[in-house]
Amino acid sequence: RRANSQGLAFLFFFVAFACPVTGSSTEAAVFHCCSAPEGRVMLLACNASQDDAIFAIKFASYGARVAGGSVCGHEMNPTCGADVQAIVQGRCTGHRFCHLEASLFGNPCP
């Protein structure tokens, strides 16, 4: 794991996911973007008052944050990060809500 000057790594996980638009006659989606630091639990959730389920994971990464990176795209440092989209899809797709934590993803910084 890479570290800052104090010896601590600043690792984050980033996820962009989609929920259906309730009552829409088309296949409309609402995309949500989240980030959380290592040590915190991230909750992905569709409308809590409906039975809508997460149906797509557009992006998911875990690693060191790139300075100036946006929350829904290219936040991951390529030398200290991992694409975790498949893991998040497996845990969250089809569920109304999903809890994620960094321990699921292993060490992204060799």
Side-chain angles (χ1 to χ4, degrees), residues 2-45:
R2 299 193 188 267
N4 64 12
S5 60
Q6 289 81 34
L8 302 173
F10 292 112
L11 301 179
F12 290 81
F13 45 108
F14 307 93
V15 178
F17 66 100
C19 296
V21 174
T22 303
S24 173
S25 60
T26 63
E27 303 221 0
V30 175
F31 283 91
H32 303 278
C33 301
C34 320
S35 67
E38 182 179 34
R40 298 287 181 129
V41 174
M42 179 187 288
L43 172 66
L44 308 184

Side-chain angles (χ1 to χ4, degrees), residues 67-104:
S70 64
V71 175
C72 282
H74 305 284
E75 302 86 355
M76 185 174 61
N77 181 328
T79 63
C80 180
D83 179 344
V84 296
Q85 184 172 355
I87 295 168
V88 175
Q89 280 179 315
R91 288 187 59 89
C92 301
T93 302
H95 298 282
R96 193 177 56 160
F97 61 89
C98 176
H99 294 91
L100 300 171
E101 54 189 294
S103 63
L104 296 168

